[in-house]
Amino acid sequence: RKEVEQDPGPFNVPEGATVAFNCTYSNSASQSFFWYRQDCRKEPKLLMSVYSSGNEDGRFTAQLNRASQYISLLIRDSKLSDSATYLCVVNRDDYKLSFGAGTTVTVRA
Amino acid sequence: EAQVTQNPRYLITVTGKKLTVTCSQNMNHEYMSWYRQDPGLGLRQIYYSMNVEVTDKGDVPEGYKVSRKEKRNFPLILESPSPNQTSLYFCASSLPSSGGSSYNEQFFGPGTRLTVL
């Protein structure tokens, strides 16, 4: 079983729509969770950290469910510029991170 | 400008010809890491370094070497490249983790696309 699993998508949504997707992780001891954004095989960039209580950053909302070992990302009012691959990242120990293969989102006009 | 640079950005080489991919960061980060990214797989860690002269293996270290003689530089060395090392490589740096939930943002370089024939 992969340490971090994501639905690869693609999620094709119209502008203005809401899109949500999850990522599951296998290590119950993980304590740090992130969403990174990657555009077309360019370098990943941090989108947001995910906190236990859930958190919001503008149109983006991240949730953590420790009991079921998944994190989610919801994008409201999608923009064309939100088209990207979203990587779920979870720590394994102090120096190692596990990356999901990514969920591709395409926002169409 | 705070950044991580990698060189070369693109490289086509032949099996067995030693190569080095350089990585440099100007943010005074202690922690640096190398990843490879292949289709359908997440980024996989090759090697990481917690500070100067301190390195350790990641998940896929076979066929790679690294060194950390200076804080800003973390080169990746392929002594005898093989076709299965054809991949997209990313270098990343960050401030050290305090453990637990105190992970810091990873800053990635622009990537090096390597093809081994």
Side-chain angles (χ1 to χ4, degrees):
Chain A
R1 182 185 174 189
K2 290 182 181 177
E3 297 196 21
V4 178
E5 299 208 49
Q6 295 184 248
D7 180 345
F11 288 75
N12 293 306
V13 299
E15 266 189 298
T18 295
V19 59
F21 41 90
N22 295 339
C23 137
T24 59
Y25 61 94
S26 61
N27 185 354
S28 59
S30 295
Q31 296 185 55
S32 297
F33 310 90
F34 310 90
W35 285 104
Y36 277 72
R37 172 192 169 126
Q38 185 175 28
D39 294 301
C40 202
R41 303 285 271 176
K42 293 187 176 179
E43 71 271 26
K45 293 182 180 179
L46 180 67
L47 176 67
M48 58 196 301
S49 301
V50 185
Y51 302 118
S52 296
S53 55
N55 48 298
E56 199 171 296
D57 183 359
R59 298 180 293 105
F60 297 84
T61 301
Q63 298 276 357
L64 167 63
N65 185 317
R66 286 189 186 273
S68 300
Q69 292 183 212
Y70 74 85
I71 65 174
S72 64
L73 182 66
L74 182 145
I75 307 173
R76 284 187 302 280
D77 188 23
S78 298
K79 311 292 185 191
L80 294 175
S81 57
D82 295 333
S83 297
T85 297
Y86 292 85
L87 307 179
C88 174
V89 183
V90 177
N91 82 295
R92 284 181 287 160
D93 58 34
D94 281 355
Y95 298 107
K96 294 184 179 177
L97 297 170
S98 293
F99 287 75
T103 296
T104 298
V105 173
T106 302
V107 182
R108 62 183 188 275
Chain B
E1 180 191 353
Q3 60 182 350
V4 179
T5 57
Q6 291 179 230
N7 282 292
R9 295 288 312 281
Y10 304 90
L11 179 61
I12 300 175
T13 189
V14 295
T15 298
K17 186 176 181 183
K18 181 179 177 180
L19 67 91
T20 299
V21 183
T22 64
C23 172
S24 184
Q25 50 93 6
N26 62 1
M27 294 170 279
N28 202 35
H29 286 166
E30 284 87 354
Y31 182 87
M32 297 185 74
S33 187
W34 275 103
Y35 297 90
R36 60 178 288 173
Q37 186 175 34
D38 302 290
L41 301 175
L43 275 76
R44 292 180 293 167
Q45 191 177 51
I46 303 170
Y47 269 95
Y48 62 94
S49 169
M50 294 77 84
N51 215 323
V52 175
E53 303 291 3
V54 184
T55 64
D56 205 352
K57 296 178 181 178
D59 298 311
V60 288
E62 296 77 21
Y64 304 94
K65 285 174 57 177
V66 293
S67 67
R68 187 92 181 271
K69 293 183 168 40
E70 304 166 284
K71 196 172 188 178
R72 62 183 293 124
N73 296 323
F74 190 43
L76 179 71
I77 303 156
L78 284 72
E79 294 271 4
S80 183
S82 62
N84 65 11
Q85 292 178 298
T86 293
S87 188
L88 177 59
Y89 291 87
F90 288 104
C91 179
S93 75
S94 72
L95 292 169
S97 165
S98 302
S101 60
S102 300
Y103 263 83
N104 289 295
E105 178 180 358
Q106 300 274 311
F107 291 87
F108 287 85
T112 294
R113 194 173 295 278
L114 172 66
T115 301
V116 183
L117 302 174

